[in-house]
Amino acid sequence: MTTPETNETLGVPKAEFLQSVRQALGREDVPPAEPYPRLTETQAELEDQAAQIRRRLEENLPALLDKLAEMAALGGWKVHRASGVEEAIGYIESVARESGATNIVRSAQDVFDQVPVDAALTNLGLKVTTVLRDEANTREALREEIRQAGIGITGADYALAETGSLIILPRRGLSRLVSLVPPVHIALVRPEEVLESLDDLFLLRRLEYHQRGGEMGSYLNFITGPSRTADIEMTIVEGVHGPKEVHMVILG
Amino acid sequence: MPEIKTEQFFAASAAAMKNPKLRRALDRVGSGFDVARISAIDEVTPEVWEQWRQQGRDIKVHTIEHLDYYLDLLYTNVTAAGGQLHFANDASQANEIVAHIARTRNVKVATKSKSMVSEELELNPVLEAIGVEVWETDLGEYIIQLAKETPSHLVAPALHKSKEDVAELFTEKLGIPYDEDIFHMAATARTVLRDKFMEADLGISGANFVVAETGTLVIITNEGNGRLCTSAPRIHIGITGMEKVIPSMQDLAVFLRLLPRSATGQRITSYVSMITGPRRSDDEDGPEEFHLVLVDNGRSRMLADPALREALNCIRCGACLNICPVYQRIGGHAYGWVYPGPIGAVVSPMLIGLKQAKELPQASSLCGACREVCPVKIDIPRMLLDLRHKSAESPDKSQRSAKAAERTVARLYAMLMSSPRLLRLAVRCGRFLQKAERFIPFFSPLSKDGKWIKNAPLPPLSKWTRSRDLPTLPKQTFHEVWQKELSRDDS
């Protein structure tokens, strides 16, 4: 494999490009005349706003869970509200049985300590693979496991009541492909992961970005319902490149 | 750049109107996209929708006014996240950047998710010329790639094709039995492309937004091909126009509310993916390299013209196409270049030159529907008028839309309208001719009910009636009615 050269300058050098933009704008001064309020917020201000969000979420949690369930169902999720761990596992077992899957992949997230699905699914005679790299499980081997799987199970980083979306931040233990490649995806959502709005989400992500010194991970994904297309005669077809069937199990 | 056929606009639009298959396809756009858009907006109150539009517009206006600043900030943050940002002045430079990356990394197979900018650049042939297999993976784009055609809509590139067209295409190109079941055809595309996703070395995507504060590329999709293109291959290249930058991640919220509702009538799309740099060392998967290519390709011309700058606010939702009475009758291909519809009639002349695309700003009744549906309140009719003005007043003869004859007619018309006596005389002459027409055998310029002139015999009227009808002169003019009524009141 070719080693990528770092910091190549391809195309036009930045200074030259920016100069032509500036010329088109008919402006000589570099910075914005009025600073953009959002970008000048301090970390303390963001933390303050985040604390307010957290308080609001706590106060409204039952209503938010209802809203999440309602919006997720409108967005195409099959929503199941589980009153306890056993009920959640029971639901996952029934989805597994009905799907006819033989192989299942899941991410390595701490929700699975709370909801131990592996034993239950293995008892059904299914092969369950945790997608977490180590010496035995290379990227390539895990990718092949994901390709063979009939179901992918993940937790949530957030769930958005406004849109009924699951939000995941792929990283170590949370593959980008587990929720994407198998034809069925099951997502486990805990009440503490629920946010009210897009504004809440982006504020919290910004705060984390600044708290971590300008780092917030490589990927963030919103998932709202199954994969869809309407590219032939505007007829909606589900499951074109991603999962056809998606289940959101809300613990609470 | 793709072949420019904007000069054939009149012939192409006339042909499109006579194509019954296209008419059926375009009817689906109105009943599909626009009805969905209206019901999605009805869910929020008109006040809230208006507030979102204003917010979206304000963010765009601010960013474009300070584009140099935000591009610089973006550069810093893409680099800090371990990615590389490349700037390109024009299409060939942008294509060369991508080709260089493909060559030096030994890329054999590339998968692409939908990108209108890559259509504008005509990137695929450049990659194919250096031996890279390029696969369009959005179902609509895949269909038109197989058919060797261009997109006819910003959001639904293959909407001009019927299911029978697609079934025939799949039979011919993939060697499978004819099957016009839409679900089966989508499944076929899934199977064919699934292998390609896993095999690809390079994933190419467009971008709906890029966030300066964090160096993040945002794509909004429904099929999942965008996620696969940006997750499975070892290299990801995002390509987009330089105007797609927004300041902060928090600015995204309003655009995620505006764009899906305006484009497809969804509250949110199936997927929104936000990519910041390549995969980190301990990530389970994701590309090892992340490149972002930002192109100018004529956009600085728009930026430099205060009257047309706001065209850069466009978020490519396609709502103005879906509502436009002209687009709904002629479809996207008649516009002759990548960007169709009302916004295309502004953007194309600016990107490829008004000289070649001078007919496009004329392709509008200026009804204003596009302005009303635009999620960022772009005043498209104002810009169409501005382009018409520029084209009519151009010192370059070949670029000028108004011919000497047209100017003379306009002058005569002005004379007529400013003199009541002349106007009365002209109306009398016209009525006489309208009556006299009945005595000419075998030829009638009028419609059967006598209310419309369909084929005027002499220029300049004959030119007008070539593509429209003209109302006949009434038995009594408004003036005459007024005077009669007035005299009755007096008596």
Side-chain angles (χ1 to χ4, degrees):
Chain A
M1 204 166 72
T2 326
T3 320
E5 308 149 56
T6 47
N7 295 323
E8 302 155 276
T9 305
L10 305 175
V12 196
K14 181 185 79 170
E16 198 182 304
F17 192 84
L18 294 187
Q19 186 54 34
S20 70
V21 169
R22 206 164 293 141
Q23 228 156 35
L25 284 165
R27 223 168 17 79
E28 292 308 316
D29 56 322
V30 185
E34 289 165 56
Y36 195 59
R38 254 179 197 152
L39 295 183
T40 56
E41 280 167 333
T42 62
Q43 194 171 309
E45 284 168 328
L46 291 174
E47 271 160 10
D48 197 44
Q49 293 174 48
Q52 283 175 30
I53 291 175
R54 291 282 175 214
R55 251 196 317 277
R56 175 162 44 77
L57 293 173
E58 251 169 64
E59 283 166 16
N60 298 321
L61 189 61
L64 281 176
L65 286 172
D66 292 346
K67 180 87 191 286
L68 172 68
E70 181 199 338
M71 296 311 289
L74 284 172
W77 290 96
K78 295 181 177 175
V79 178
H80 182 82
R81 297 188 69 168
S83 53
V85 170
E86 269 170 40
E87 196 191 323
I89 293 178
Y91 181 75
I92 295 169
E93 283 173 334
S94 70
V95 171
R97 264 196 303 266
E98 274 163 37
S99 77
T102 52
N103 293 22
I104 292 179
V105 286
R106 72 159 175 89
S107 55
Q109 289 171 278
D110 57 9
V111 67
F112 294 103
D113 300 337
Q114 196 180 325
V115 187
V117 295
D118 295 9
L121 294 171
T122 313
N123 282 342
L124 291 178
L126 304 171
K127 181 186 173 197
V128 182
T129 306
T130 304
V131 178
L132 183 67
R133 264 178 317 117
D134 56 32
E135 275 168 23
N137 294 302
T138 60
R139 278 204 175 90
E140 290 66 34
L142 288 170
R143 188 190 272 213
E144 200 43 42
E145 287 292 342
I146 297 170
R147 278 201 79 174
Q148 300 305 324
I151 300 177
I153 311 177
T154 67
D157 285 301
Y158 305 99
L160 262 196
E162 178 181 346
T163 57
S165 307
L166 175 82
I167 315 278
I168 52 170
L169 305 166
R171 57 181 177 273
R172 172 148 178 84
L174 178 49
S175 151
R176 300 182 186 203
L177 301 178
V178 168
S179 56
L180 175 60
V181 169
V184 178
H185 173 208
I186 304 173
L188 295 169
V189 175
R190 291 177 289 187
E192 62 267 33
E193 285 145 358
V194 178
L195 299 178
E196 184 171 355
S197 69
L198 290 159
D199 305 290
D200 293 353
L201 172 74
F202 291 127
L203 182 109
L204 295 176
R205 293 312 300 151
R206 275 188 81 206
L207 175 61
E208 183 165 339
Y209 177 75
H210 291 292
Q211 281 170 337
R212 289 172 60 190
E215 166 65 332
M216 55 161 193
S218 61
Y219 215 71
L220 182 151
N221 226 306
F222 284 64
I223 302 172
T224 316
S227 148
R228 298 176 175 94
T229 186
D231 276 350
I232 304 176
E233 292 198 350
M234 313 238 356
T235 302
I236 293 174
V237 179
E238 295 184 343
V240 57
H241 290 302
K244 188 185 176 119
E245 197 183 305
V246 292
H247 300 262
M248 184 185 280
V249 181
I250 302 174
L251 302 162
Chain B
M1 294 217 289
E3 199 188 341
I4 298 169
K5 298 182 207 151
T6 43
E7 280 166 326
Q8 298 149 29
F9 178 75
F10 279 123
S13 55
M17 279 190 285
K18 288 183 188 133
N19 178 347
K21 218 157 67 180
L22 183 63
R23 302 242 15 92
R24 278 195 297 276
L26 290 168
D27 284 346
R28 281 193 290 267
V29 178
S31 58
F33 282 146
D34 202 55
V35 169
R37 183 187 65 82
I38 291 166
S39 70
I41 292 169
D42 278 349
E43 284 185 7
V44 297
T45 64
E47 291 74 29
V48 169
W49 181 247
E50 194 49 35
Q51 197 189 327
W52 289 350
R53 288 174 81 204
Q54 190 60 45
Q55 233 178 311
R57 179 179 178 83
D58 290 345
I59 295 167
K60 276 286 180 180
V61 168
H62 168 85
T63 320
I64 298 292
E65 292 298 324
H66 303 100
L67 192 57
D68 53 339
Y69 174 82
Y70 287 110
L71 289 176
D72 200 12
L73 187 62
L74 178 70
Y75 185 91
T76 306
N77 291 316
V78 168
T79 312
Q84 292 180 51
L85 174 54
H86 313 287
F87 294 105
N89 278 336
D90 54 31
S92 65
Q93 217 166 34
N95 290 341
E96 180 43 39
I97 293 169
V98 181
H100 176 88
I101 296 168
R103 259 195 312 265
T104 50
R105 276 72 167 176
N106 197 22
V107 168
K108 300 268 181 273
V109 179
T111 49
K112 273 183 74 195
S113 74
K114 197 171 141 338
S115 152
M116 288 307 286
V117 172
S118 77
E119 296 285 344
E120 171 190 331
L121 305 174
E122 214 179 12
L123 172 66
N124 295 5
V126 175
L127 288 176
E128 280 156 4
I130 59 165
V132 177
E133 232 180 76
V134 185
W135 293 83
E136 293 287 350
T137 61
D138 171 86
L139 181 58
E141 288 280 346
Y142 177 61
I143 291 167
I144 61 167
Q145 185 187 32
L146 285 179
K148 297 190 166 58
E149 290 177 18
T150 54
S152 66
H153 189 280
L154 294 174
V155 175
L159 73 82
H160 58 285
K161 291 221 161 298
S162 68
K163 61 177 197 265
E164 294 83 7
D165 291 341
V166 181
E168 274 167 32
L169 186 69
F170 278 17
T171 303
E172 186 199 327
K173 302 283 177 175
L174 308 176
I176 56 168
Y178 181 91
D179 180 353
E180 59 178 50
D181 181 301
I182 292 171
F183 294 85
H184 295 172
M185 289 192 276
T188 301
R190 177 184 169 105
T191 312
V192 172
L193 294 171
R194 183 51 70 89
D195 290 338
K196 296 298 161 191
F197 282 123
M198 295 300 161
E199 203 185 309
D201 312 285
L202 169 64
I204 299 172
S205 76
N208 294 96
F209 302 95
V210 269
V211 181
E213 183 186 24
T214 54
T216 303
L217 179 155
V218 184
I219 49 176
I220 296 176
T221 67
N222 274 307
E223 294 185 3
N225 62 318
R227 289 177 70 192
L228 280 162
C229 281
T230 57
S231 296
R234 61 186 159 90
I235 305 162
H236 170 208
I237 305 178
I239 307 174
T240 195
M242 64 179 187
E243 78 281 14
K244 293 287 171 71
V245 64
I246 56 172
S248 149
M249 182 165 289
Q250 275 182 275
D251 297 316
L252 253 186
V254 73
F255 291 112
L256 292 186
R257 292 174 179 131
L258 289 169
L259 179 53
R261 285 182 173 85
S262 301
T264 51
Q266 291 172 284
R267 279 174 219 95
I268 194 159
T269 46
S270 297
Y271 307 117
V272 176
S273 303
M274 301 176 55
I275 298 129
T276 313
R279 75 161 177 242
R280 307 300 186 259
S281 57
D282 60 351
D283 283 3
E284 294 302 331
D285 35 33
E288 296 155 31
E289 281 185 63
F290 171 75
H291 298 265
L292 177 58
V293 181
L294 289 187
V295 301
D296 179 328
N297 205 31
R299 285 161 178 77
S300 51
R301 277 199 293 277
M302 266 190 263
L303 195 61
D305 188 333
L308 298 167
R309 189 176 286 175
E310 72 168 310
L312 292 170
N313 298 348
C314 175
I315 56 174
R316 305 279 188 264
C317 68
C320 63
L321 280 60
N322 304 336
I323 195 92
C324 177
V326 177
Y327 180 89
Q328 279 189 2
R329 270 152 200 81
I330 65 174
H333 286 152
Y335 287 83
W337 202 58
V338 182
Y339 300 106
I343 192 65
V346 176
V347 169
S348 298
M350 291 311 287
L351 296 186
I352 61 180
L354 185 54
K355 185 174 170 178
Q356 277 188 301
K358 63 174 186 248
E359 316 292 4
L360 299 188
Q362 312 287 342
S364 167
S365 63
L366 302 175
C367 69
C370 49
R371 179 178 47 209
E372 271 172 44
V373 298
C374 178
V376 288
K377 301 171 83 166
I378 300 175
D379 194 344
I380 298 174
R382 183 190 59 73
M383 289 191 287
L384 291 172
L385 274 175
D386 181 77
L387 285 165
R388 288 182 188 184
H389 181 87
K390 286 189 168 97
S391 148
E393 298 291 316
S394 169
D396 176 356
K397 225 174 156 186
S398 63
Q399 205 164 324
R400 210 181 287 156
S401 62
K403 300 197 178 64
E406 208 177 311
R407 284 159 189 264
T408 313
V409 170
R411 236 171 259 140
L412 282 173
Y413 185 72
M415 248 168 73
L416 201 65
M417 296 309 283
S418 48
S419 155
R421 271 174 58 197
L422 269 180
L423 183 64
R424 269 200 298 278
L425 187 68
V427 168
R428 268 184 224 134
C429 289
R431 273 202 209 123
F432 174 75
L433 287 174
Q434 241 166 248
K435 272 185 198 153
E437 167 276 326
R438 267 184 281 158
F439 301 104
I440 309 171
F442 310 120
F443 171 78
S444 173
L446 301 188
S447 62
K448 274 184 190 154
D449 59 7
K451 284 185 180 158
W452 298 93
I453 304 173
K454 295 183 84 72
N455 301 292
L458 292 171
L461 282 186
S462 59
K463 253 185 144 174
W464 171 274
T465 55
R466 212 159 46 190
S467 53
R468 339 166 170 74
D469 297 341
L470 190 69
T472 50
L473 289 165
K475 289 201 176 82
Q476 281 188 319
T477 63
F478 178 73
H479 269 125
E480 287 160 351
V481 174
W482 180 258
Q483 254 161 7
K484 217 185 253 172
E485 294 294 315
L486 216 64
S487 54
R488 196 179 300 159
D489 281 355
D490 285 348
S491 55

